[in-house]
Amino acid sequence: MIDRYDWAGGQEAMLRFGPSNGPVVVAALPLFEEANRTRTFAVTLLRLLAERGMAGALPDMPGQGESLMALETLSFLRIQEAFGGVVDHILDEGRAAYALGIRSGALLDAHALASGRWHLAPQDGSDLLRELKRVHGSPWPASAARVEIAGNLISADLLVELEGKQPFAESVTPRRVVRLESDPRPADHQVPGAPLWRRSDPDNDPALAALLADDIAAWVRACEG
Amino acid sequence: MQPDGSLQVEDTVRAVLRDVLGLSADRVAEFRADTPLFGALPELDSLAVAGVLTELEDRLGILIEDDEVDGEMLESFGALTRFAAAKALG
């Protein structure tokens, strides 16, 4: 089902999956190019969650997917605000929201009133910025108002905001970090699979999605008590 | 990583090329030291190079500076493995 959500900057679309009651897992795709590489996978994951009786939502963030808003006009804070708008939309339905952040998507839920945060291979802002600089190839001029990186026109302010951004991790609400077995950084759980977000040709991995759907469904149910 | 980890580094480089470029396990298993990479693998364009380097950094816990990246280190599987091993094993 296609639904819409409001935020201070306007209205955007989101896909809804699963039952019309109970908690909703709200997915945040990574920023920029990696969003295209993980969208199909995220849809598969949310469908499998729905098969497990768990509702899900996949919003278009402003400047992403079908959004009519130009990415270059957005700050990082504005995108976080929009994700907060998605979560508010779920809360208005009288349902609890759990954030599912993929890679840099894990940076978007900081201001959202989520009951918990489940992060897949979270990437912090400094690592993302480093990668963007590598993809860009040459340093961009300090005076540039926007920078084109792999086909995305990004505001220079947003790039500055990325530096030092960390996934939100406070002890009051539960957080679970899941990483691939090939990733040596700290995690609560590791799963076998390849990093789809690195592939220039978008790919899917239903077996990995099924493993993650099992993990998310069990974790959300445990959080809900 | 252990000083005797050069085989481990080679396996990691192989796995990164497989995962980032979407190559089959059989294909990367055939890579030898003199197997040419950049310019020979159509999958390895400049965007993919960035992905390979970043994924190597993550898996080996190393940092690759931009001025260390040149055609030579990407010329062959052996050259890339030697570069990664020198970084990871010191």
Side-chain angles (χ1 to χ4, degrees):
Chain A
M1 176 186 104
I2 297 177
D3 193 6
R4 305 191 71 80
Y5 69 95
D6 293 305
W7 69 289
Q11 198 181 58
E12 299 289 350
M14 65 171 154
L15 293 173
R16 301 286 299 259
F17 303 83
S20 52
N21 51 32
V24 182
V25 174
V26 184
L29 296 177
L31 297 164
F32 317 131
E33 178 59 24
E34 286 191 7
N36 304 323
R37 299 176 178 177
T38 52
R39 184 182 306 275
T40 306
F41 178 71
V43 168
T44 304
L45 175 52
L46 293 172
R47 287 208 176 112
L48 291 170
L49 262 182
E51 282 176 16
R52 286 154 178 77
M54 183 79 52
L58 178 63
D60 271 341
M61 289 291 103
Q64 194 182 62
E66 303 295 313
S67 170
L68 297 175
M69 195 159 270
L71 177 62
E72 58 175 295
T73 64
L74 291 161
S75 67
F76 192 74
L77 192 63
R78 296 279 280 166
I79 301 176
Q80 285 180 318
E81 223 181 299
F83 191 81
V86 181
V87 168
D88 288 347
H89 183 94
I90 304 296
L91 297 178
D92 286 346
E93 295 174 354
R95 308 170 75 177
Y98 286 81
L100 186 182
I102 301 174
R103 302 278 292 156
S104 54
L107 301 171
L108 298 185
D109 59 32
H111 305 301
L113 295 172
S115 300
R117 293 168 170 80
W118 188 98
H119 289 161
L120 176 63
Q123 182 183 41
D124 68 32
S126 307
D127 280 356
L128 172 58
L129 190 59
R130 216 178 116 69
E131 223 175 298
L132 292 172
K133 285 179 177 165
R134 174 168 281 160
V135 169
H136 188 258
S138 52
W140 47 79
S143 59
R146 56 192 74 83
V147 185
E148 187 177 338
I149 303 173
N152 286 304
L153 207 50
I154 305 169
S155 102
D157 291 344
L158 192 158
L159 294 169
V160 170
E161 283 178 279
L162 284 180
E163 190 70 64
K165 279 272 180 304
Q166 295 284 338
F168 184 77
E170 55 153 63
S171 52
V172 183
T173 49
R175 176 177 183 237
R176 182 168 170 84
V177 175
V178 175
R179 291 187 184 277
L180 299 178
E181 282 174 354
S182 56
D183 185 345
R185 278 167 293 195
D188 298 306
H189 182 52
Q190 284 189 309
V191 286
L196 295 166
W197 46 86
R198 295 268 186 236
R199 291 270 172 85
S200 25
D201 298 319
D203 204 350
N204 200 0
D205 187 344
L208 175 61
L211 277 179
L212 298 179
D214 285 339
D215 190 78
I216 294 168
W219 180 77
V220 169
R221 291 203 171 100
C223 291
E224 290 284 289
Chain B
M1 191 154 294
Q2 301 301 308
D4 61 349
S6 55
L7 251 182
Q8 222 175 321
V9 172
E10 189 182 312
D11 286 346
T12 304
V13 175
R14 227 181 267 279
V16 165
L17 290 170
R18 181 196 63 207
D19 290 347
V20 176
L21 305 181
L23 305 175
S24 71
D26 288 348
R27 189 154 167 220
V28 294
E30 285 168 5
F31 282 3
R32 299 288 168 259
D34 59 357
T35 303
L37 297 180
F38 198 54
L41 289 178
E43 295 88 350
L44 192 61
D45 56 18
S46 52
L47 196 59
V49 166
V52 166
L53 298 178
T54 311
E55 191 65 17
L56 277 176
E57 289 184 330
D58 288 353
R59 294 196 195 184
L60 295 171
I62 58 175
L63 275 185
I64 302 170
E65 300 302 334
D66 289 342
D67 56 14
E68 295 174 308
V69 181
D70 55 24
E72 216 171 294
M73 71 173 280
L74 290 160
E75 199 172 37
S76 64
F77 179 67
L80 184 58
T81 304
R82 276 194 303 278
F83 175 85
K87 277 274 170 188
L89 309 173

